[in-house]
Amino acid sequence: MRDTSDVTAAAHYRQLLQLGRDEFLAAAAPAVLVRFRVGDDMAPGGQSTLTLDDETVQDATLPVRRLEPTDTLGDDLEIYPLAKKPGASFPDRITIGRTPNNDVAISDASVSRLHAYVKRAGAAWVIADAGSKNGSWLRGDVLDARREKPLGSLAVVRLGDVDLTFYLAADLFAALGGA
């Protein structure tokens, strides 16, 4: 049996990429949140958000620059698969928060214990703030507590001080360089 305790989600997705598009889509979560932090002088504290797509993101609060082909996807890439944990609370939604009992745990002091949630609405996805202390934004617009808003692929979501990009699996495959 292989020890996978040190395999990050980003490393797992890089391995899936090598299998090809069909296998990637079959094995990957249907959607993910991606956080890519890179130290530079663009933002206060030396952090900026890096987008993986070819379009300039207009709605991020931190400065954003496009991932170039020469950039490497190092340890600063965080991928959060949007999948329900077995036996977790709220079976109809994927919870996002700071504590490990959430389906997606983001270790950042600005993220509330239960900060937001996403769920499928038919073929689409929606997002809502769960009544967080530091707020949530979608494409720069404030999310009201427990009021669901449509969530499209490549949309930038801000939870507290954390910027994330929402990707459907097919868009993530393309953004990571899959052919």
Side-chain angles (χ1 to χ4, degrees):
M1 179 181 222
R2 192 169 64 130
D3 178 21
T4 59
S5 60
D6 289 335
V7 176
T8 65
H12 175 70
Y13 276 83
R14 281 190 210 104
Q15 290 171 349
L16 289 179
L17 192 64
Q18 304 306 312
L19 300 175
R21 186 177 194 279
D22 291 340
E23 290 82 5
F24 181 93
L25 296 178
V32 299
L33 292 172
V34 175
R35 181 182 189 193
F36 194 100
R37 296 179 295 174
V38 61
D40 62 20
D41 298 327
M42 291 176 62
Q47 293 288 324
S48 68
T49 296
L50 192 64
T51 184
L52 298 174
D53 56 55
D54 289 334
E55 310 234 347
T56 302
V57 178
Q58 301 294 325
D59 55 5
T61 305
L62 291 174
V64 176
R65 80 174 170 86
R66 183 171 49 89
L67 182 65
E68 300 295 337
T70 56
D71 289 332
T72 59
L73 300 178
D75 294 334
D76 291 333
L77 178 69
E78 298 171 9
I79 296 178
Y80 300 98
L82 296 178
K84 193 74 190 154
K85 285 183 180 176
S89 300
F90 307 107
D92 64 330
R93 61 196 68 183
I94 297 167
T95 60
I96 305 167
R98 185 179 68 240
T99 58
N101 62 323
N102 286 287
D103 299 303
V104 175
I106 299 174
S107 181
D108 188 280
S110 69
V111 175
S112 295
R113 288 182 298 226
L114 172 58
H115 198 102
Y117 67 87
V118 296
K119 68 179 186 178
R120 281 188 163 174
W125 288 80
V126 295
I127 187 168
D129 184 272
S132 67
K133 179 180 176 185
N134 292 322
S136 302
W137 294 263
L138 173 61
R139 292 184 291 276
D141 295 329
V142 173
L143 289 174
D144 295 323
R146 293 169 287 285
R147 296 196 65 148
E148 296 172 356
K149 296 287 184 182
L151 181 60
S153 194
L154 307 180
V156 174
V157 174
R158 185 173 181 98
L159 305 177
D161 294 334
V162 177
D163 287 324
L164 304 152
T165 305
F166 174 79
Y167 284 91
L168 294 174
D171 294 328
L172 180 64
F173 178 79
L176 292 175

